[in-house]
Amino acid sequence: MSVFANRLPITAKVLIIRQLLWGAAFYGVYVLLTKYFLNELNYSEADTIMMLGAFGAVGPVFSAVGGFLADRYIGAFRAVHIGYSIYALGFLLLGVGASLVNIPLSIMAIALIGYARGLSATCPTVLLSNSFSDEHREDFQKGLTVNYSLNNLGSFTARYLFPFFIAAIAYQGNFLLSFTLMCCNLVMFWIFRKQLRAVGNHHDQQPLSIKVWMMFIAVSLTMLGLVFWVFSNLTEGKYLLYTLGAAAILYFITLIIRAPAVYKYRMCSVLVMLFIMICFYFYYGQMSTSMNLYAINLMGDRVLGFIPVMPESSAAFNPLWCFIMGGPMIFIYTWLEKKGISPSIPTKFAFAFVFSGMAFALLATSTQYIGNDGKFSANWILMVHFFQSVAELIVGALGVGFIIEMVPKSVSAFAMGLRAVTLSLSGILAAVISTKIALPKDIELTTEVINNVYTGYFTNLALAAFAMFFVTLILSRLIKRLIARSEAIACQEASLQPA
């Protein structure tokens, strides 16, 4: 690992450290929002689920817009730098809103955070990709894995520790801590701005006209207004998110129609992959909605019998396992390749659904082991996240690498935004469906209530995941044929070129 680290360009090192700081800042806030809205702002369980679903969906669905602006107008480096400045402002306002227990100010703060995520989410991967020359593309894939692992390290640390900090610094102190972490990123970006700008796209290499800046400000204010409206009108807002996600996919289809023949089939394979990813990330979205509420209501406060854990920190087990299992997964892939077994990325995705099915089957089983204290052991959630993290490791880095290698560089940021759109559409869908297990605040959690509400819900999710295994296997064959057709066209065009 140290030899590989020495080979990393300085821009790649900066971007990977950025991911660690961002993961801690963003997920430190994310883990607190459920109880913040339930207890501090007095939201119901159903409204809290929808708020968390919208918060998880808004940033990704606007990532396509952010990627489009980066590709066509402002540049990838500027998109990240401006986005992180807005992140810092959002965390600062959230801290002020928490100190005043002010709902409109809190909603405005998370609207800023959601917009910042949409503007900046796709471009760090583009900058990281551009940091490596064509002859070192294998280092880019390894860099993605390291980047993903450090994101999970930052995410786990913040998700586990921030709830414990509540007793000492309250919600506003935690939100201001995230503000400080994001300011560290901004300082680092300022120090290395020349190197980072150099690996941006051509818009980063030249000043922007007043017309472009005015257009960007107008679009930004419009997006902020839409995000604020979504959070203030959750019932109607979800339809706006559906519409924006569908519009981004339709725009991608128009790009496929206009693309050169060699890219048409590759981009069609991305379109099929997007459907698979929407289905998978529906299960990922359950972590911040149904699984989170289940843990808050019924999970014990000890892991392995002696490690303290806050119920709202249950989601911290996911990045912990992702960080631990990253190396073993690479070893398994290498071992399989030496044995001559090299399944395609879509085929690997099919097995991800098997692991998700196992995770939710365990979750359903845990409902039958409620102790005399009315709690189930946190060890169940620890194991559930083990299986779900294996599934996520299969889909996460591989999905990013697949998309960025299948599309032209001129639309790479937008294409990465489409990957985020799958997170958005599946996240809001997960929130809408998870409201089925929302309970009144004063209800008594009897065995009958637990079986009727939680057991059946998690069992149905497990069965649907196992069904998706077979659907994805069929679609993987289609993707394989599309890529083969693209390669045949590339070979044909190469043969027609003059020597």
Side-chain angles (χ1 to χ4, degrees), residues 283 353 356-361 364 457-467:
Y283 289 90
F353 282 105
S356 284
M358 295 169 69
F360 282 89
Y457 181 79
F458 293 136
T459 299
N460 290 334
L461 289 183
L463 293 174
F466 290 130

Side-chain angles (χ1 to χ4, degrees), residues 67-398:
F68 175 81
L69 291 174
D71 283 333
R72 295 293 185 91
Y73 297 104
I74 65 172
F77 169 69
R78 283 196 190 95
V80 180
H81 205 176
I82 296 171
Y84 280 21
S85 299
I86 299 172
Y87 260 126
L89 178 61
F91 292 142
L92 177 62
L93 287 183
L94 192 58
V96 175
S99 65
L100 300 175
V101 194
N102 187 300
I103 293 178
L105 189 56
S106 296
I107 292 177
M108 187 63 214
I110 63 173
L112 284 166
I113 295 168
Y115 168 66
R117 190 180 181 194
L119 179 63
S120 62
T122 64
C123 295
T125 304
V126 175
L127 295 174
L128 185 63
S129 175
N130 293 344
S131 298
F132 295 91
S133 59
D134 290 339
E135 59 267 22
H136 292 98
R137 297 312 292 174
E138 69 280 359
D139 285 344
F140 166 58
Q141 292 291 345
K142 293 176 182 177
L144 273 178
T145 302
V146 174
N147 188 64
Y148 193 67
S149 295
L150 285 181
N151 174 67
N152 284 303
L153 177 61
S155 174
F156 164 72
T157 303
R159 289 189 192 207
Y160 181 77
L161 293 177
F162 272 44
F164 285 107
F165 294 162
I166 293 293
I169 59 176
Y171 284 99
Q172 58 265 34
N174 282 276
F175 297 151
L176 293 177
L177 178 56
S178 288
F179 164 72
T180 302
L181 290 170
M182 193 54 65
C183 286
C184 292
N185 257 337
L186 288 173
V187 170
M188 187 168 59
F189 265 58
W190 175 256
I191 293 172
F192 295 98
R193 61 190 182 281
K194 291 182 180 179
Q195 296 92 327
L196 290 168
R197 187 180 291 115
V199 295
N201 58 29
H202 67 280
H203 295 294
D204 286 310
Q205 317 305 326
Q206 55 193 14
L208 301 183
S209 66
I210 297 296
K211 180 181 178 181
V212 171
W213 277 118
M214 294 299 293
M215 179 275 299
F216 172 71
I217 292 172
V219 170
S220 297
L221 291 175
T222 301
M223 290 172 64
L224 270 175
L226 288 174
V227 174
F228 184 84
W229 180 83
V230 168
F231 287 139
S232 302
N233 302 272
L234 293 172
T235 303
E236 299 83 5
K238 64 178 181 285
Y239 297 111
L240 174 63
L241 296 177
Y242 291 147
T243 301
L244 291 173
I249 293 174
L250 287 174
Y251 178 70
F252 184 69
I253 292 174
T254 65
L255 293 178
I256 293 175
I257 294 172
R258 299 202 301 261
V262 71
Y263 277 110
K264 283 186 186 293
Y265 292 96
R266 293 182 186 178
M267 294 170 75
C268 283
S269 71
V270 170
L271 199 60
V272 179
M273 185 69 81
L274 291 176
F275 168 76
I276 296 172
M277 294 172 78
I278 288 173
C279 294
F280 174 80
Y281 283 123
F282 168 79
Y283 289 90
Y284 183 82
Q286 297 297 321
M287 287 193 299
S288 60
T289 53
S290 63
M291 288 174 62
N292 194 24
L293 275 180
Y294 176 57
I296 288 173
N297 287 334
L298 292 166
M299 193 183 84
D301 60 358
R302 288 290 186 275
V303 181
L304 304 178
F306 67 96
I307 302 174
V309 62
M310 301 291 283
E312 60 267 36
S313 291
S314 63
F317 298 144
N318 175 263
L320 172 65
W321 281 119
C322 286
F323 180 71
I324 293 173
M325 293 301 297
M329 289 293 290
I330 294 175
F331 173 80
I332 291 171
Y333 288 152
T334 304
W335 181 79
L336 288 173
E337 288 175 359
K338 289 181 179 178
K339 296 292 183 179
I341 304 172
S342 184
S344 66
I345 289 177
T347 302
K348 292 174 182 175
F349 277 27
F351 286 96
F353 282 105
V354 173
F355 286 104
S356 284
M358 295 169 69
F360 282 89
L362 273 177
L363 203 57
T365 304
S366 71
T367 63
Q368 306 305 304
Y369 289 87
I370 305 296
N372 294 330
D373 59 351
K375 303 290 184 181
F376 69 91
S377 171
N379 296 337
W380 283 100
I381 295 291
L382 180 67
M383 291 311 301
V384 165
H385 279 293
F386 167 76
F387 288 104
Q388 186 63 14
S389 69
V390 172
E392 184 183 342
L393 282 170
I394 293 173
V395 174
L398 292 178

